[in-house]
Amino acid sequence: MHYRFLTLLVLLLLTGCAGRGMSGGGEAGYVTVQRGDTMSAIARQAGVPLLRLQRFNPGIRANDMRIGQQLMLPGRNERAPGSGQYRYSVRSGDTLGRIASHFGTSSSRITAANRGIDPNRLRVGQMLTVPVGSASASTASRATGAQTSAVPASALPSGAGPWAWPLRGAQVQREFGKDGRNALQPMLMSAGSDHTARAVASGTVRFAGTMRQLGGVVIVHHDKNLQSVYAQCDRINVSNGQHVSAGTPVCEVRRDSGTGRHDLLFDTRNAGRPFNPRQIVR
């Protein structure tokens, strides 16, 4: 399982998003970044899940936004999968080139995916299929949040951790690190007799739901802008906005039909960037 399916660039919810009119997640549009804005605060004010906002802005780094930069606000009829094809509503001023550039794909791929489309006569509100992913490793990485560099141990916040292991009596089946294509993969561990994944430290649940190819996913934000991610869950035991303590059950790990094990994908992040869990888990 690669990070292309784990688009989890998550930031600690901060205040400071300047007040302005937003569509509340219903109408497709844009919002301009203002001083003090964070992506999480913009998502909250717009009524858009943070992960959804991130997926519609694959070329924007959440921890490096610039004043005056425009973020695309997704409409209720649009779709942004973890990989594959977007369902996109044409906005005022759009061209195929602009759409392709935003999503890290090409005009020819969009044209091929939309039979009968006239590239020179796009209509506002027209629904397009925007394929992303397999065209090249670089655009796939940008479009889906795949990471090729990890946070070094020396860059972790001072005083961070130690954290507990998410599974009791677990065995690590795959360490955190790069695969043969130089893409990072999260740690994979199998549960023993206890299939319950538990929060590694106190924090607030920022996502509790399902993702394509990953099943149930829980994202917990901790102090010092750190995050922990628990994927391949069968049943989720927490809800968005819930405060959890170290050891709080967050989900029940599903059984992998291929291995017969109860395998958990476990990811740790610092300001959205992945780092080796062994740097903080003891």
Side-chain angles (χ1 to χ4, degrees), residues 54-130:
Q54 291 166 343
R55 283 181 172 173
F56 268 91
N57 295 276
I60 296 179
R61 297 175 57 187
N63 60 344
D64 190 28
M65 295 194 305
R66 303 184 304 275
I67 295 174
Q69 195 171 29
Q70 282 197 320
L71 267 67
M72 182 181 288
L73 292 179
R76 63 170 60 91
N77 294 325
E78 295 181 303
R79 299 291 181 268
S83 64
Q85 298 181 337
Y86 281 72
R87 179 174 170 81
Y88 175 77
S89 177
V90 174
R91 290 151 168 80
S92 177
D94 269 348
T95 64
L96 282 192
R98 178 181 180 181
I99 297 169
S101 177
H102 183 86
F103 290 108
T105 185
S106 66
S107 299
S108 60
R109 294 188 71 196
I110 298 176
T111 301
N114 296 271
R115 184 174 299 177
I117 186 177
D118 184 344
N120 298 314
R121 299 185 65 180
L122 297 180
R123 305 184 311 274
V124 174
Q126 181 180 5
M127 299 306 298
L128 299 179
T129 295
V130 180

Side-chain angles (χ1 to χ4, degrees), residues 222-277:
H222 309 279
D223 289 341
K224 301 182 183 294
N225 211 4
L226 299 172
Q227 302 86 38
S228 59
V229 183
Y230 315 77
Q232 298 191 164
C233 298
D234 185 32
R235 185 178 74 248
I236 294 175
N237 300 327
V238 292
S239 57
N240 289 325
Q242 179 179 338
H243 178 79
V244 296
S245 302
T248 298
V250 296
C251 76
E252 304 301 317
V253 182
R254 74 183 183 188
R255 181 179 180 274
D256 188 296
S257 59
T259 65
R261 304 187 303 259
H262 291 261
D263 289 339
L264 175 75
L265 278 173
F266 179 61
D267 193 25
T268 51
R269 298 203 166 206
N270 176 18
R273 291 183 61 199
F275 64 91
N276 192 336

Side-chain angles (χ1 to χ4, degrees), residues 103-225:
F103 290 108
T105 185
S106 66
S107 299
S108 60
R109 294 188 71 196
I110 298 176
T111 301
N114 296 271
R115 184 174 299 177
I117 186 177
D118 184 344
N120 298 314
R121 299 185 65 180
L122 297 180
R123 305 184 311 274
V124 174
Q126 181 180 5
M127 299 306 298
L128 299 179
T129 295
V130 180
V132 297
S134 59
S136 70
S138 60
T139 56
S141 294
R142 289 196 304 270
T144 61
Q147 299 280 343
T148 58
S149 63
V151 177
S154 59
L156 290 181
S158 176
W163 287 355
W165 283 92
L167 288 173
R168 296 172 180 172
Q171 290 187 337
V172 175
Q173 300 295 331
R174 184 187 67 212
E175 294 285 354
F176 168 89
K178 294 183 178 181
D179 62 11
R181 290 179 291 185
N182 207 38
L184 286 176
Q185 297 188 92
M187 178 179 284
L188 179 71
M189 60 181 70
S190 60
S193 58
D194 187 349
H195 303 157
T196 302
R198 293 174 167 81
V200 293
S202 62
T204 302
V205 177
R206 285 292 185 262
F207 182 86
T210 59
M211 292 184 186
R212 183 183 179 187
Q213 308 255 357
L214 289 173
V217 177
V218 175
I219 303 173
V220 180
H221 285 211
H222 309 279
D223 289 341
K224 301 182 183 294
N225 211 4

